Amino acid sequence: VTCHNYYYVDVFSLLLLLLLLLLLIFDIILLSELRFTYTVAEVAAYADVAKRIIELAVFGAAQNRSYKRLADFADTIGSRVSGSPNLDMAIKYMFSVMKQDGLDVHLEPVKIPHWVRGTESAEMIEPRVKNLAVLGLGSSVGTPPEGIEAEVLVVQSFEELKCRASEATGKIVVFNQPFISYGETVAYRAYGASEAAKLGAVATLIRSVTPYSINSPHTGWQDYQDGVKRIPTACITVEDAELMWRFSQRKQKIVVRLKMGAKTLPDADSFNTVAEIRGWQHPEQVVLLSGHLDSWDVGQGAMDDGGGAMISWEALSLIKDLGLRPRRTLRTVLWTAEEQGGVGAQQYFNLHKVNMSNFDLVMESDLGTFSPVGLRFTGSDAAQKVMEEVVKLLAPINTTKLELNGEGTDISPWMQAGVPGASLHVADSRYFWFHHSEGDTMTVQNPRDMDLCSALWAVVAYVVADLQDMLPR
């Protein structure tokens, strides 16, 4: 009987424990629901502030301001490649104008790559004479002063190159890869030179990574593989790549003469440019907005990424002009040497990651400032729910869409470490038409589009920075 009593007691204790556990789980769920309900109401209360920001940016005194700021900047400075005097001028220019705007501005020193293009030319000698529009790729070595004259092997993929490996020795390999997407096709620009060099090629010419061309070459960074001979590499136009492909299909011999004066100098001194509105309650906590200040050495760098830099400044200006000051610090960072692989941003991360718990949200605009579609976001499910409420405040400009996967070279170290990240999603179908080419000028930009981007950027940044709690990790 005693054993049975103990048995009943144990079962009763177990049932009681399970009941308490269920009550605890219920309380947690209820508390979570109540907290989220509170957050929904808290965010909704910012509707009037959001409307004021939008009114000022799109219809008020700040209308067209971000466009005008970009035009003044791009027309005055021009292109701003890493390590160049123009990039130094750009940093000094932005430091000065943001300080005049009444923001708290400082510079943070970094070391950046210094590649110089030099003079360059390419000419098809056979089967007929034709000048080829060409742009050397970043980090490429130069040719001998007399250039390289060699027969051409045209391929459409890395797989075809491997199949025709015996034909590559002593040739200039031309990659005529089709454009599928930037993320997929850019591999030919990045790794084409080393893949061809492994097979004895003397140089490579890469079809520009673009879906559309008017005989315009598009440059960009390329990466040599360790232990592989470094050969000169440049991009050519879609038209010329396809022309040489057609010649090769007819079994006609193609000969090209390539001259490149490219060289890499010692790393240069540079700066990330930082402007702030300090938070009134938690100044140590940060919502970071950003774009990169450097560009390639062609065009004006207006689209990539002058527009992203300007709306990240404009967002602070709009908030300041309305006399708003959030709980947390709003910090705009204009990165240096993004085009070389996010060099300035990586050094910023290395310096500030000790305070990672204080970074609430990191934001980056680097796919143009065309008409905004919405916001892309990376973060926890709980943070995503909060952000879904925040973007509802953008209903007056019809950009309430929250999508998965915030992206950006410069904020990726933070997101990989678990910090919530957001990127601007715009109607970017034309972005790669002009990307890294002479076509990246103010003509691409539209004042109203920039106003809308600025409004979105400012509303999201301000509201997140002013909420009672940081975004849940």
Side-chain angles (χ1 to χ4, degrees):
V1 177
T2 306
C3 291
H4 284 296
N5 286 341
Y6 277 125
Y7 171 76
Y8 289 128
V9 169
D10 286 345
V11 170
F12 179 77
S13 299
L14 184 60
L15 289 173
L16 184 61
L17 187 62
L18 286 172
L19 180 61
L20 289 171
L21 186 60
L22 287 170
L23 287 171
L24 180 61
I25 291 170
F26 177 76
D27 285 345
I28 291 171
I29 293 170
L30 183 61
L31 185 61
S32 177
E33 289 297 323
L34 288 171
R35 183 177 293 147
F36 180 65
T37 301
Y38 171 78
T39 301
V40 170
E42 184 189 9
V43 173
Y46 285 94
D48 287 343
V49 172
K51 285 178 185 175
R52 288 171 60 203
I53 293 172
I54 291 167
E55 285 287 330
L56 177 60
V58 181
F59 307 107
Q63 186 182 41
N64 299 341
R65 184 169 65 186
S66 58
Y67 176 89
K68 183 179 183 303
R69 285 173 166 180
L70 177 58
D72 291 346
F73 171 74
D75 292 345
T76 300
I77 307 296
S79 63
R80 311 167 294 281
V81 73
S82 177
S84 68
N86 273 23
L87 180 56
D88 290 342
M89 287 170 56
I91 292 167
K92 290 174 184 174
Y93 179 103
M94 291 306 299
F95 178 88
S96 175
V97 293
M98 289 196 296
K99 210 161 185 61
Q100 289 171 23
D101 194 32
L103 300 172
D104 183 2
V105 189
H106 69 274
L107 302 177
E108 298 190 9
V110 292
K111 285 282 190 181
I112 61 174
H114 189 186
W115 176 80
V116 179
R117 179 178 303 283
T119 57
E120 55 191 14
S121 65
E123 184 180 24
M124 186 170 66
I125 308 301
E126 296 183 41
R128 66 178 175 89
V129 175
K130 182 185 186 300
N131 286 325
L132 305 174
V134 66
L135 282 173
L137 294 174
S139 84
S140 177
V141 296
T143 64
E146 67 276 13
I148 294 173
E149 186 174 316
E151 191 175 342
V152 165
L153 170 65
V154 186
V155 297
Q156 289 192 299
S157 66
F158 289 131
E159 290 72 23
E160 184 182 357
L161 177 63
K162 289 174 184 175
C163 291
R164 302 179 66 183
S166 61
E167 302 174 55
T169 303
K171 303 279 181 62
I172 294 175
V173 171
V174 169
F175 285 97
N176 180 41
Q177 77 287 344
F179 182 88
I180 299 169
S181 68
Y182 184 76
E184 185 170 343
T185 311
V186 75
Y188 289 90
R189 188 190 79 199
Y191 309 121
S194 288
E195 291 302 315
K198 291 173 185 177
L199 304 177
V202 295
T204 54
L205 297 174
I206 316 293
R207 170 174 163 159
S208 289
V209 185
T210 179
Y212 181 79
S213 179
I214 48 171
N215 205 45
S216 52
H218 296 238
T219 190
W221 194 251
Q222 69 89 39
D223 293 299
Y224 288 122
Q225 295 177 33
D226 292 339
V228 178
K229 183 180 178 182
R230 299 186 171 200
I231 60 174
T233 182
C235 60
I236 56 174
T237 68
V238 170
E239 293 86 343
D240 286 337
E242 291 186 341
L243 171 65
M244 287 189 276
W245 169 251
R246 293 194 298 273
F247 281 138
S248 72
Q249 292 301 101
R250 299 183 193 118
K251 308 299 182 185
Q252 291 176 276
K253 181 181 178 182
I254 309 166
V255 177
V256 164
R257 182 187 299 125
L258 176 68
K259 290 184 178 181
M260 293 175 60
K263 57 185 176 181
T264 297
L265 302 176
D267 285 354
D269 293 320
S270 189
F271 301 91
N272 290 317
T273 309
V274 183
E276 292 183 337
I277 295 175
R278 287 183 63 76
W280 65 266
Q281 186 176 29
H282 303 293
E284 75 286 356
Q285 296 174 2
V286 175
V287 168
L288 185 148
L289 311 88
S290 70
H292 66 86
L293 206 53
D294 65 302
S295 71
W296 279 103
D297 54 344
V298 288
Q300 289 183 291
M303 178 192 74
D304 183 19
D305 182 33
M310 291 301 145
I311 68 164
S312 295
W313 168 24
E314 179 68 15
L316 297 197
S317 293
L318 293 168
I319 291 160
K320 177 186 62 67
D321 290 350
L322 289 170
L324 301 172
R325 188 181 175 193
R327 295 175 191 278
R328 295 172 194 84
T329 294
L330 284 172
R331 178 180 298 167
T332 287
V333 183
L334 308 182
W335 311 110
T336 190
E338 184 276 342
E339 297 291 2
Q340 287 63 40
V343 176
Q346 184 62 54
Q347 291 177 58
Y348 181 90
F349 175 76
N350 293 343
L351 180 65
H352 293 280
K353 63 184 178 182
V354 66
N355 295 317
M356 191 178 301
S357 62
N358 282 326
F359 279 78
D360 190 5
L361 175 67
V362 290
M363 303 165 60
E364 179 174 359
S365 170
D366 189 20
L367 278 173
T369 46
F370 301 105
S371 179
V373 174
L375 195 71
R376 290 192 169 120
F377 179 74
T378 295
S380 67
D381 290 345
Q384 186 173 336
K385 287 182 179 178
V386 176
M387 293 303 293
E388 285 171 352
E389 298 305 313
V390 171
V391 296
K392 288 178 182 178
L393 299 171
L394 299 167
I397 54 173
N398 196 29
T399 56
T400 58
K401 195 174 183 181
L402 187 74
E403 302 172 10
L404 298 178
N405 301 323
E407 59 183 333
T409 299
D410 295 313
I411 62 172
S412 61
W414 297 95
M415 292 190 296
Q416 289 166 13
V419 176
S423 55
L424 181 64
H425 183 196
V426 298
D428 57 5
S429 61
R430 295 184 297 132
Y431 181 76
F432 290 108
W433 295 10
F434 310 105
H435 181 250
H436 295 182
S437 77
E438 290 287 3
D440 183 355
T441 67
M442 280 304 301
T443 304
V444 176
Q445 300 298 126
N446 176 278
R448 179 171 173 80
D449 287 351
M450 290 193 67
D451 289 343
L452 293 170
C453 289
S454 298
L456 183 158
W457 221 223
V459 169
V460 171
Y462 175 77
V463 172
V464 173
D466 200 53
L467 292 175
Q468 287 281 351
D469 298 320
M470 291 176 66
L471 293 175
R473 297 286 170 97

